Amino acid sequence: MSSLSDIYTSLPEARNLADAAPRSVAEADFNARHWSSPVPGPLKPGSAEHKRAVAEMFRDTFNPYKPSVIAWPKLEPETLKRVTSLPIWDIAVQTEGKARLRMAAYARMIDDPDMKDAISRNAWEENRHKEVLSKLVEAYGIKMAPEPPYIEPRDTEWAYLVTGFSECVDSFFAFGLFALAQRSGFFPPELIETFEPVMQEECRHILLFANWLAWHRATMPAWQRPWFELRVLAVWVFLAYERVGLARTMDADGNVQEQDNNFTVTGAKDVANMDVSLRELIDLCLSENDRRFSGYDPRLARPKLAPNLARFIRMFLKKPSGDSLVEQPA
């Protein structure tokens, strides 16, 4: 049995990066955002056509950027302070460290070759995200707490569900915060552009998870379904509880640092030099969510809970007056 590090540090053999590398950065970026299956008709979850399409989507939209050659832009002192003071870096690095392990553990336990291939690639990309964040932290001198040991999950399916659903929620709000940081000009365009491929990669990750979930539900025996749905409900309860407070860690100097578990929902004030109402943030999250998914085959399932919950909350929020960075939907 292969070790989990063998899975998240090596892409499956079927992918030859040298042969598959695009001719330009622009081509790689386009390929990562656009994909459609050539198979006609519906892609019904549980069908062989759907399963193969999911695996092909994730393989064909791979972006071969390398963290070791990312040119992190030089930041002015004020901007550098904004970046280094964000209360997210320890949690961000540690979250990716856990995610790569959980994805690899789940990939190792499943038998279906298409889903095993896709989730193994997902584990590799989570490891690459950790490398990107580590390079960013190094480039800007961000002090980090010592990383905890990353332990293989005892309940592999539970750990995979927690990571998948958590990414669906966090990515939905992160899309909006990232666009807000870009539109407000609070961070330089060079920094936004440098981190953009990682944001689109998160879109691919939750697209994969949503379609794995649809496939898994459609193919599991009927007698297993009630227990699985209870576990899904328990995951949401766990995630809600996890987001209630702050996580406390020790930095490199031994000082207690508070890390915001809920930064993707509450972090608008940290990425823009302006007041943004909750309705404006929701509008931006919804529009960015639609934009990032727009290039992928519409027959593939999309994560629904976070966007639907956001739309429900928006119904009770007052429309802001005056100009806004956010385009208001009808």
Side-chain angles (χ1 to χ4, degrees):
M1 181 179 291
S2 61
S3 69
L4 298 187
S5 61
D6 290 338
I7 297 174
Y8 66 69
T9 58
S10 302
L11 280 174
E13 299 79 7
R15 183 75 178 188
N16 187 321
L17 290 182
D19 294 339
R23 290 185 294 272
S24 68
V25 173
E27 183 180 357
D29 184 71
F30 182 87
N31 292 342
R33 298 167 190 271
H34 300 84
W35 185 88
S36 292
S37 171
V39 176
L43 296 175
K44 183 180 179 181
S47 67
E49 292 80 11
H50 172 259
K51 177 172 61 71
R52 284 195 294 269
V54 173
E56 289 170 2
M57 176 279 298
F58 205 75
R59 182 181 64 247
D60 295 346
T61 57
F62 174 78
N63 190 334
Y65 70 86
K66 296 180 179 180
S68 60
V69 298
I70 290 177
W72 295 103
K74 182 177 176 58
L75 304 179
E76 297 296 326
E78 184 177 351
T79 303
L80 180 62
K81 184 178 180 180
R82 292 174 194 158
V83 171
T84 58
S85 63
L86 291 175
I88 59 171
W89 299 117
D90 287 323
I91 281 183
V93 171
Q94 293 172 23
T95 296
E96 298 295 353
K98 293 176 185 176
R100 65 182 182 181
L101 201 66
R102 292 171 178 179
M103 297 289 175
Y106 191 77
R108 188 175 65 182
M109 72 172 282
I110 61 176
D111 297 323
D112 184 89
D114 290 321
M115 283 298 176
K116 181 184 285 289
D117 179 82
I119 297 173
S120 295
R121 295 177 190 279
N122 198 164
W124 188 92
E125 291 184 4
E126 298 290 2
N127 185 58
R128 180 167 64 173
H129 285 189
K130 186 176 185 299
E131 291 182 25
V132 169
L133 289 170
S134 297
K135 294 294 184 182
L136 180 149
V137 165
E138 179 184 352
Y140 297 132
I142 300 172
K143 294 185 178 180
M144 301 286 290
E147 292 184 54
Y150 296 109
I151 302 172
E152 182 175 343
R154 288 180 293 179
D155 188 335
T156 303
E157 184 183 70
W158 170 267
Y160 181 67
L161 288 171
V162 167
T163 295
F165 283 121
S166 180
E167 286 194 338
C168 287
V169 174
D170 289 341
S171 295
F172 173 76
F173 286 100
F175 295 158
L177 291 182
F178 192 75
L180 183 61
Q182 180 182 30
R183 297 184 188 188
S184 70
F186 204 47
F187 295 111
E190 296 82 5
L191 183 59
I192 298 294
E193 182 179 351
T194 299
F195 216 76
E196 169 61 31
V198 178
M199 295 301 300
Q200 190 62 32
E201 210 157 67
E202 290 293 352
C203 180
R204 292 172 55 257
H205 289 182
I206 61 177
L207 182 62
L208 171 61
F209 180 76
N211 282 274
W212 165 84
L213 185 63
W215 168 80
H216 190 57
R217 280 173 165 153
T219 57
M220 71 171 56
W223 63 270
Q224 292 181 357
R225 183 70 179 268
W227 173 244
F228 179 76
E229 297 303 336
L230 283 174
R231 283 170 69 82
V232 169
L233 179 61
V235 167
W236 283 116
V237 172
F238 170 77
L239 291 177
Y241 173 79
E242 186 182 51
R243 304 306 172 90
V244 169
L246 298 174
R248 289 176 171 81
T249 58
M250 300 292 290
D251 65 19
D253 296 328
N255 301 312
V256 175
Q257 298 290 324
E258 291 184 337
Q259 299 285 304
D260 191 350
N261 278 330
N262 215 23
F263 180 82
T264 52
V265 180
T266 63
K269 64 182 182 298
D270 294 307
V271 300
N273 53 353
M274 60 179 295
D275 291 331
V276 180
S277 70
L278 179 56
R279 177 171 172 139
E280 288 178 304
L281 178 59
I282 287 176
D283 286 341
L284 187 54
C285 291
L286 288 169
S287 64
E288 282 297 296
N289 188 71
D290 290 342
R291 182 182 69 83
R292 288 191 179 274
F293 279 111
S294 64
Y296 304 116
D297 197 314
R299 294 173 292 175
L300 295 177
R302 266 69 167 161
K304 295 179 179 179
L305 184 61
N308 287 343
L309 181 59
R311 291 186 183 98
F312 177 76
I313 294 173
R314 182 181 180 274
M315 293 170 56
F316 302 95
L317 300 175
K318 182 179 179 181
K319 185 176 181 179
S321 58
D323 296 334
S324 171
L325 288 176
V326 184
E327 295 180 3
Q328 300 291 326

